[in-house]
Amino acid sequence: MTESIVLFDGTCKFCDASVNFIIDRDRAARVQFASLQSPIGERLLRRFGLRTDNFDTLVLVEGDECYTRSTAALRIARRLDGWWPYLSALLLVPPFLRDFAYEVFARNRYRWFGRFDACRIPAPELQRRFLE
């Protein structure tokens, strides 16, 4: 598998917790991270023709391919240790159904989980996993 870059909303508390979740279940450190608001995040968004002013989706970059919403989340699950890769079987569900649920969650994540005033600063031992 190629290296993966996860672009996440750096001010979203749920997104921050999700990054920690991925780190804890990716012992081989195959996944790297950048906030959507960072310069590298913005460059990647532009590269793939995605909006740089609305951070309502998770983005996964794998080589020359880019995935968003539920497809990104399920493809990330493939990279994790344990039973998480089995969730990628949900990729067989039509995207319009998966993404409907994803978008309802994304619209409410700040209300349900809160937000930070600024993007996270990774702990020194994790800085190599973050592209900033």
Side-chain angles (χ1 to χ4, degrees):
M1 284 187 179
T2 62
E3 291 287 324
S4 298
I5 301 170
V6 171
L7 303 178
F8 65 99
D9 180 349
T11 64
C12 168
K13 289 185 177 182
F14 176 80
C15 302
D16 184 69
S18 297
V19 167
N20 290 330
F21 180 89
I22 294 166
I23 288 169
D24 291 346
R25 287 156 185 82
D26 177 27
R27 289 187 298 260
R30 293 175 297 244
V31 179
Q32 294 182 300
F33 305 91
S35 72
L36 291 161
Q37 296 91 337
S38 70
I40 193 163
E42 194 171 307
R43 278 194 307 275
L44 287 168
L45 290 171
R46 279 195 185 109
R47 175 180 164 196
F48 292 103
L50 299 173
R51 292 179 58 178
T52 60
D53 63 343
N54 188 3
F55 308 117
D56 65 348
T57 186
L58 174 69
V59 178
L60 173 66
V61 176
E62 291 180 326
D64 292 331
E65 299 293 323
C66 173
Y67 305 94
T68 60
R69 297 181 182 81
S70 64
T71 301
L74 294 171
R75 290 184 69 91
I76 291 166
R78 288 181 173 174
R79 305 258 180 193
L80 304 181
D81 302 320
W83 64 271
W84 297 101
Y86 293 111
L87 287 178
S88 66
L90 292 173
L91 288 166
L92 298 172
V93 174
F96 76 91
L97 291 175
R98 290 187 278 115
D99 287 343
F100 174 77
Y102 181 94
E103 289 168 17
V104 168
F105 185 87
R107 275 195 306 272
N108 292 291
R109 71 189 190 282
Y110 292 141
R111 185 168 4 122
W112 295 340
F113 299 97
R115 67 186 309 167
F116 296 114
D117 293 330
C119 294
R120 79 179 292 171
I121 298 175
E125 65 274 10
L126 296 176
Q127 284 183 348
R128 64 181 174 77
R129 303 278 304 267
F130 288 80
L131 306 171
E132 302 293 334

